[in-house]
Amino acid sequence: MGETVPFPKNYAWYKKEAMDCFLTGRMEEAIPFFERAYKLEQDELLNTNYTTALYQVGDYQKAKEIADDKCSFYEKEESLAIFYTAILIKCHLFLQAEQALLFRKKKYPSKDTTEENWMAVQEMLEEERTKVELEKQKKIEHLIKEAYSLGNKSFAEQSTIMKELEKIPLGPFIEAAEPILSNPFVNGIIKATAIERLAMEHVKGHFDIYWIKEKRTIQPSVLTSIENNVIFQEVMSLLSERVEQDDPSLYQAMVQEASLHFFILYPFIEEVITSPLKWVELYQKRYDNFYLVASGSHSDTKKMEEWMHRVDQELIDLG
């Protein structure tokens, strides 16, 4: 009569095709059939075969996801418990793997036939953990090296590297921050990001920084984050109060621009913005040529206006 036709919900056909591939070692080909069959029926044996295929092709996260569907089933069988522990190790869930190894001594009686397998899993745990630590150290060393040449990269590349640097331990981060802060060609937003972490970690000591074409020195332990800066909070509050209700779109544009300006001015915000109200009025004037800035110290307003243009140029130069 010919070959079986795969109807949309033909569980038996998908399972047969999956097992044909599985038993002949064609795991990559088996997985799509396992997936379709498993969507129709979450059979325990199918689950273990599907999980095994995923494990064999290195898709450990998906293997764990499928195995978790039948977690209690994996705990009943010692061989499956060993397999599940191996999956945890490959997913780098080392604490869970350690707990599983401890749990098995209570759950399963010691048998010569399985003791070797548990020992192999224990060795796998130690080897994988060592491998991960070496990879982490290698990555940290690479990122520190990148920090020294960050000024030669585009803003997008600088941002990507900084996101990775933010994840590393504080010690190497401090080492990487020093060349970043003193490099005149690193974007001010990137420098602000580095300073914020140093500030939030209360890092002591002094750091040289190249800030808007000036060489300065900062002490992170006495700084707040941009978000906690009093002037930042006041400017944002004034923008909301004066603009948001009347023109939400204009408000969003002003907030975006102001946020960029604060990143560039950080950590010397107080030196530049001597009046949050006047600073906000300068934004309003910028977006409305007919807006009149309230009377006050003309020299202070003029200085802040010059600073605003200077920051704009800084963003253009480092873009």
Side-chain angles (χ1 to χ4, degrees):
M1 294 293 290
E3 295 183 5
T4 305
V5 178
F7 290 103
K9 292 191 176 181
N10 196 330
Y11 168 76
W13 188 85
Y14 289 138
K15 184 177 178 181
K16 179 185 177 299
E17 290 297 308
M19 291 307 298
D20 284 349
C21 295
F22 181 82
L23 294 171
T24 53
R26 293 175 290 139
M27 301 300 175
E28 290 276 6
E29 294 177 46
I31 287 170
F33 293 112
F34 274 130
E35 183 177 7
R36 292 178 190 128
Y38 194 70
K39 283 180 180 178
L40 299 173
E41 190 174 323
Q42 288 74 53
D43 176 75
E44 289 175 344
L45 182 58
L46 181 71
N47 179 293
T48 58
N49 289 330
Y50 184 15
T51 302
T52 302
L54 291 165
Y55 183 91
Q56 290 295 327
V57 300
D59 193 348
Y60 305 120
Q61 294 295 335
K62 184 67 176 178
K64 181 181 180 300
E65 180 186 322
I66 299 302
D68 283 344
D69 288 345
K70 304 291 180 182
C71 198
S72 59
F73 178 66
Y74 280 75
E75 290 177 1
K76 288 178 186 176
E77 292 283 341
E78 187 172 9
S79 60
L80 291 179
I82 293 170
F83 178 41
Y84 186 75
T85 306
I87 294 171
L88 292 175
I89 293 168
K90 289 297 186 179
C91 289
H92 300 162
L93 299 170
F94 300 133
L95 288 177
Q96 288 185 41
E98 285 178 347
Q99 289 169 357
L101 284 163
L102 289 171
F103 176 73
R104 70 96 179 179
K105 292 179 180 179
K106 299 176 183 178
K107 176 80 174 176
Y108 310 105
S110 179
K111 298 176 186 175
D112 292 339
T113 54
T114 57
E115 189 63 29
E116 285 187 15
N117 292 331
W118 283 114
M119 289 294 292
V121 169
Q122 181 71 53
E123 288 176 12
M124 181 195 289
L125 172 61
E126 292 165 5
E127 288 172 4
E128 198 71 24
R129 181 182 274 147
T130 300
K131 178 183 171 185
V132 168
E133 288 304 315
L134 287 172
E135 286 174 353
K136 280 183 181 177
Q137 190 55 43
K138 190 181 290 186
K139 185 175 182 180
I140 288 170
E141 290 171 1
H142 172 72
L143 287 169
I144 292 173
K145 187 177 179 181
E146 291 281 71
Y148 280 90
S149 60
L150 207 63
N152 300 329
K153 304 181 187 300
S154 68
F155 175 61
E157 291 171 317
Q158 290 181 23
S159 297
T160 299
I161 293 168
M162 178 51 69
K163 283 177 184 175
E164 292 301 313
L165 280 168
E166 286 184 276
K167 300 173 187 175
I168 70 174
L170 182 60
F173 180 83
I174 293 171
E175 185 182 347
E178 290 177 351
I180 288 173
L181 297 180
S182 60
N183 191 327
F185 301 106
V186 173
N187 191 290
I189 294 171
I190 304 301
K191 289 178 181 177
T193 304
I195 296 168
E196 279 201 299
R197 179 173 179 188
L198 297 175
M200 297 307 290
E201 299 274 8
H202 306 290
V203 174
K204 295 181 180 180
H206 295 79
F207 290 77
D208 293 328
I209 177 174
Y210 197 92
W211 177 80
I212 314 185
K213 299 178 177 61
E214 295 179 12
K215 291 183 179 180
R216 304 288 292 270
T217 301
I218 61 168
Q219 192 176 348
S221 60
V222 301
L223 298 173
T224 66
S225 65
I226 295 173
E227 194 175 272
N228 290 329
N229 181 275
V230 174
I231 292 177
F232 172 84
Q233 291 175 347
E234 194 169 344
V235 166
M236 291 303 172
S237 178
L238 285 166
L239 283 172
S240 176
E241 178 186 314
R242 296 166 74 94
V243 182
E244 186 175 19
Q245 189 171 352
D246 294 333
D247 194 335
S249 297
L250 178 61
Y251 167 73
Q252 290 299 327
M254 286 184 174
V255 165
Q256 187 174 5
E257 183 173 23
S259 296
L260 285 172
H261 285 173
F262 274 105
F263 266 103
I264 297 298
L265 294 174
Y266 183 72
F268 303 108
I269 295 166
E270 291 81 359
E271 292 183 20
V272 175
I273 305 175
T274 52
S275 167
L277 176 60
K278 291 291 189 292
W279 190 260
V280 169
E281 287 183 336
L282 287 172
Y283 284 130
Q284 290 182 274
K285 179 184 176 184
R286 173 173 287 198
Y287 286 89
D288 182 358
N289 293 328
F290 297 101
Y291 183 85
L292 296 175
V293 176
S295 60
S297 173
H298 178 72
S299 62
D300 283 353
T301 303
K302 187 68 176 174
K303 282 181 184 176
M304 283 192 287
E305 191 168 17
E306 288 171 357
W307 266 111
M308 194 175 278
H309 289 302
R310 192 173 171 185
V311 172
D312 287 338
Q313 189 58 50
E314 186 74 11
L315 285 166
I316 292 168
D317 292 345
L318 294 174

